[in-house]
Amino acid sequence: MSTEPRRLLPLLSSHRPGRSAVTCEYRCGNACAHPAPNTSDNTYFGDVAKSVLSRRGALKATAVMSATAAGFAALSGTAAAEVPAALAGRGNGHGKPSRPVPGTDFTPVAPNTADAVVIPDGYDQEVVIRWGDPVLPGAPRFDHRNQTAAAQAMQFGYNNDFVGLIPQDSSGWRHLMVVNHEYTTETHMFPAGTYDPNNPTEEQVRIAWAAHGMSVVQTVRDPQGGLKVVPSRYNRRITMDTEFEVRGPAAGSDLLKTSADPSGRVVLGTQNNCAGGVTPWGTVLSGEENFNQYFANADAVTDPVEAERLRRYGFKAGASRRKWERFDKRWDLGQEPNEANRFGWVVEIDPNDPNSTPIKHTALGRFKHEGANIKITKDGRVAVYSGDDERFDYIYKFVSNGRYKPGRSAHARRHNSRLLDDGTLYVAKFTGDSPANEIDGSGRLPSDGEFDGTGTWIPLASGNVSHVPGMTAEEVYVFTRLAADKVGATKMDRPEDIEANPVNGRVYAALTNNSDRGKAGKAAADEANPRNGNRNGHVLEWEEHRGDAASTTFAWRLLLVCGDPAEADTYFGGFDKSKVSPISCPDNVAFDSHGNLWISTDGNALGSNDGLFAVPVEGPNRGQVKQFLTVPIGAEACGPVITDDVVLVAVQHPGEGGTAENPESHWPDGGAAQPRPSIVAVWKKGKWGRSGRIGS
Ligand code: FEO
Ligand code: CA
Ligand code: CA
């Protein structure tokens, strides 16, 4: 392991920091260029939530402690006994760095702007599958100049994001790989001069419908390393035409009924699927994120209540960017206002049953779900964590009523999936433990040496019972953002992927950035979001009370305050900042088998390409961020999957800063080729199993 200082900035000055304008436009409908839709003044928690919580005796003591903004240090007596203290002032990397930490023993790659996937010395890489490669039998060869909707529906979709790898045998030889196709960038998908954004052809729109959704492919180990996609009965495409069953407490609600589906229980398609998670029963959860951008004519909805609901989710007046409404009226809010309510859910697909109908789970709430990850509670129930990726939006948890049945049999899969239909949906409130005057928005650490404190899970609805005054349970599930506004949830800096560490049990959340934090009229820095104008994001860590995912209180602290380690406003878990890789805009999180946290980034604001990083979270090396790879020009690093043998990363939107005529990237095919979003496998040189494990 290299321990020399990594003073690698400044980088190439010609590279534009942050996301390209094209990516912002097509991925999230320019969400960051519009005013953040959370304009609520949700500070009256004491009035509303206390009365809600007082009806729930078990919650009362700890909830009110946090509701009254008692800092961690102030907690004492019986209440303190119920407040988790596990994170207070221990475990930070202030000690002497140890020898290489298993899982992170590689020489970090330097920040760079290469048009390549750059990996550490001693590792190899290979593209596993790229946009347009065959998935279903009979899929035609990818022909960029002559693409059709029928071909695309049988081929790997566009802009791969989440990757789930589900073992199919105990030897680790065969897997089902499940991938999200978050969005399409039509200006780059079609050959130069053939796509008019103002007048797309119907076939071009249908190609985009087929390029969205998800893919399931069977993989086997490549004896030379990496993974190979093989023909299989499991191979499957989910597109905008795939039928989904709506389940949970809002299924069949009037709010979900349309002229095409008077039942409110059957939806065609899933869209803008960002991150996700593999469930303990071997299915995949996937988050519908920036769904608002696909709908037109929000201004045609004039009822003030309905108009406010649309505004809070970011729906816009006039034509949509992709003009889908010209070819299917369901994308026109003036004609089908409820169609919008049928997106923004967590969906579940069962890759082991290629004939299964995928599910939209309404009990998990409707918002811009980044992803969804499960932790089993101490009494065997299921907790699901999910972030709402928007500036000033919230972190949520769902806890089931029923208990998990271990195993991956068809029976267990059916039983466990049903758990997600019945439980309680909560939203998080974070309370800092340092005096308010020490949280000045600069990122300067408070005098107790940490951004930390306690938190409360505020219940929003349980089954058909609403805990939010003035809203029915159905309204809580369908308009979850408005429910959370009313109970004093903490406005966060774009909460993205959230996942529990299988080794230490703590939960980790990536908060990408929020340049609006502290602006006039906006929420100012607080201890959980401690920087105004936050360009580089941070990583939050919490421990549920007694380590139980069913708890309604927790203790938290920031693991990383990201950015250039030379800058005073950054924090790397207390580790020596001269010996870490710069990291900016954390997005997806994953863990290796040692419990190290792996983070992929989106929108590096330091002048380097995005990448994948590993960081120990325990012991003297806690906070020692090391960059494992960088992705090509214009791309975002997604996925990721970290096994002992292989790392998978989804390279999303390579070259998107350029144009179809003049791509900024030619990855992965090189020469003058069009860039193609692809999944890449990275492994230690030599054949698997003979040359050692990732980072060891
Ligand atoms: Fe699709 Fe929140 O990134
Ligand atoms: Ca503190
Ligand atoms: Ca993401």
Side-chain angles (χ1 to χ4, degrees):
M1 180 191 68
S2 162
T3 52
E4 68 272 17
R6 301 205 59 76
R7 280 282 166 270
L8 297 160
L9 303 180
L11 295 158
L12 305 182
S13 57
S14 61
H15 187 74
R16 176 187 50 249
R19 275 280 66 89
S20 84
V22 178
T23 303
C24 291
E25 189 174 336
Y26 282 88
R27 181 183 53 192
C28 46
N30 276 329
C32 295
H34 298 290
N38 189 355
T39 54
S40 67
D41 176 15
N42 61 11
T43 52
Y44 49 97
F45 178 78
D47 297 332
V48 176
K50 258 193 236 172
S51 66
V52 172
L53 293 164
S54 64
R55 296 199 299 272
R56 302 172 58 82
L59 298 174
K60 190 174 173 187
T62 50
V64 173
M65 281 307 293
S66 288
T68 53
F72 183 77
L75 295 170
S76 60
T78 54
E82 296 187 39
V83 171
L87 296 186
R90 74 164 174 81
N92 268 10
H94 296 285
K96 216 173 159 194
S98 74
R99 57 190 181 75
V101 174
T104 70
D105 186 13
F106 55 83
T107 303
V109 306
N112 67 78
T113 56
D115 190 26
V117 174
V118 179
I119 57 176
D121 289 343
Y123 285 79
D124 261 334
Q125 62 174 301
E126 175 177 84
V127 170
V128 179
I129 190 167
R130 63 198 85 190
W131 166 48
D133 283 349
V135 171
L136 299 180
R141 222 179 128 80
F142 179 66
D143 180 351
H144 183 232
R145 302 208 67 81
N146 296 291
Q147 181 63 307
T148 66
Q152 178 65 81
M154 293 191 280
Q155 298 167 335
F156 197 62
Y158 202 68
N159 271 340
N160 35 226
D161 198 312
F162 171 79
V163 182
L165 200 59
I166 299 160
Q168 277 203 300
D169 57 32
S170 54
S171 68
W173 193 263
R174 300 172 78 81
H175 292 85
L176 295 180
M177 186 172 79
V178 183
V179 178
N180 285 350
H181 301 295
E182 185 178 15
Y183 70 103
T184 49
T185 311
E186 285 77 354
T187 49
H188 288 53
M189 288 170 62
F190 298 107
T194 65
Y195 180 78
D196 176 356
N198 294 316
N199 287 296
T201 67
E202 180 166 357
E203 183 66 5
Q204 286 170 332
V205 166
R206 290 186 179 278
I207 289 169
W209 291 346
H212 274 75
M214 301 169 75
S215 290
V216 180
V217 291
Q218 170 105 58
T219 64
V220 296
R221 280 190 179 193
D222 182 336
Q224 305 309 313
L227 299 175
K228 265 189 192 321
V229 171
V230 294
S232 162
R233 72 182 186 90
Y234 295 104
N235 288 5
R236 185 174 185 185
R237 277 301 322 280
I238 309 277
T239 71
M240 288 309 302
D241 292 326
T242 305
E243 197 170 289
F244 280 70
E245 177 191 2
V246 183
R247 286 237 307 257
S253 162
D254 286 348
L255 295 167
L256 300 187
K257 292 176 180 169
T258 64
S259 58
D261 173 31
S263 75
R265 293 174 184 275
V266 182
V267 178
L268 292 184
T270 184
Q271 65 181 206
N272 217 263
N273 300 68
C274 193
V278 176
T279 67
W281 50 94
T283 64
V284 166
L285 301 179
S286 167
E288 296 181 337
E289 196 190 26
N290 291 296
F291 57 95
N292 57 312
Q293 62 173 311
Y294 297 86
F295 291 85
N297 303 326
D299 49 334
V301 176
T302 52
D303 176 90
V305 172
E306 289 175 28
E308 172 56 16
R309 289 168 172 170
L310 290 171
R311 189 205 62 76
R312 183 66 180 84
Y313 281 85
F315 292 93
K316 294 286 179 306
S320 73
R321 171 126 14 244
R322 294 177 180 81
K323 317 287 186 292
W324 290 2
E325 65 275 12
R326 294 184 189 171
F327 304 102
D328 187 341
K329 69 173 185 176
R330 69 172 168 145
W331 307 113
D332 181 348
L333 292 165
Q335 297 192 64
E336 288 289 356
N338 282 354
E339 186 69 17
N341 299 341
R342 292 147 62 88
F343 293 88
W345 301 105
V346 169
V347 302
E348 182 180 17
I349 78 160
D350 183 353
N352 275 294
D353 180 359
N355 299 314
S356 57
T357 302
I359 299 155
K360 298 206 178 198
H361 281 297
T362 62
L364 275 53
R366 175 173 165 268
F367 45 90
K368 293 188 179 180
H369 285 278
E370 172 72 14
N373 282 287
I374 286 178
K375 181 169 160 58
I376 304 296
T377 70
K378 293 235 158 151
D379 62 359
R381 291 179 291 149
V382 166
V384 187
Y385 295 98
S386 192
D388 184 348
D389 179 10
E390 185 104 54
R391 292 164 294 161
F392 303 112
D393 261 292
Y394 308 125
I395 288 176
Y396 296 85
K397 176 171 81 169
F398 166 88
V399 181
S400 72
N401 286 332
R403 287 187 167 73
Y404 164 64
K405 210 183 272 287
R408 295 187 170 191
S409 66
H411 173 68
R413 299 201 305 275
R414 260 196 313 278
H415 168 89
N416 292 325
S417 170
R418 286 279 172 198
L419 300 177
L420 304 184
D421 296 339
D422 179 28
T424 297
L425 181 63
Y426 300 89
V427 67
K429 179 174 179 70
F430 295 83
T431 303
D433 72 352
S434 290
N437 64 4
E438 293 188 8
I439 308 298
D440 60 6
S442 70
R444 184 172 53 87
L445 285 173
S447 57
D448 69 355
E450 291 211 85
F451 297 112
D452 62 345
T454 56
T456 309
W457 291 107
I458 306 168
L460 297 173
S462 305
N464 293 323
V465 177
S466 169
H467 303 302
V468 181
M471 293 181 81
T472 66
E474 277 178 10
E475 288 168 343
V476 170
Y477 294 114
V478 180
F479 306 112
T480 310
R481 282 184 167 184
L482 289 102
D485 290 343
K486 288 174 181 278
V487 299
T490 300
K491 295 176 176 177
M492 308 299 288
D493 287 351
R494 290 188 57 197
E496 300 238 29
D497 208 2
I498 304 172
E499 190 163 340
N501 185 327
V503 174
N504 69 16
R506 293 186 207 130
V507 186
Y508 294 79
L511 295 122
T512 293
N513 55 37
N514 183 353
S515 52
D516 279 5
R517 175 72 64 182
K519 278 192 180 164
K522 308 283 186 194
D526 57 34
E527 200 162 343
N529 302 276
R531 286 185 298 191
N532 289 331
N534 177 8
R535 294 173 68 234
N536 292 301
H538 52 281
V539 176
L540 178 61
E541 171 188 53
W542 70 84
E543 183 160 319
E544 301 277 13
H545 183 42
R546 298 196 177 98
D548 186 357
S551 293
T552 53
T553 56
F554 56 91
W556 62 268
R557 63 184 169 194
L558 299 193
L559 169 67
L560 302 175
V561 181
C562 300
D564 179 351
E567 297 294 330
D569 71 344
T570 58
Y571 174 76
F572 286 71
F575 196 80
D576 179 350
K577 295 204 294 177
S578 70
K579 296 186 172 65
V580 300
S581 298
I583 180 170
S584 174
C585 301
D587 185 339
N588 299 121
V589 294
F591 299 92
D592 61 30
S593 63
H594 311 279
N596 300 305
L597 174 65
W598 290 65
I599 304 165
S600 61
T601 66
D602 168 21
N604 185 307
L606 301 173
S608 170
N609 289 349
D610 275 313
L612 177 65
F613 302 78
V615 54
V617 297
E618 299 288 356
N621 293 67
R622 174 179 159 90
Q624 185 186 17
V625 172
K626 296 176 74 173
Q627 179 145 26
F628 183 73
L629 60 75
T630 53
V631 292
I633 294 171
E636 164 183 351
C638 303
V641 176
I642 319 296
T643 77
D644 286 342
D645 299 315
V646 67
V647 166
L648 296 179
V649 65
V651 177
Q652 195 189 53
H653 56 76
E656 206 161 74
T659 61
E661 295 85 344
N662 221 343
E664 271 190 354
S665 167
H666 300 287
W667 185 90
D669 298 332
Q674 203 65 21
R676 290 166 73 181
S678 308
I679 309 296
V680 175
V682 182
W683 65 95
K684 215 160 181 178
K685 267 192 198 301
K687 292 180 182 177
W688 281 16
R690 295 188 197 170
S691 55
R693 297 175 154 192
I694 298 291
S696 297

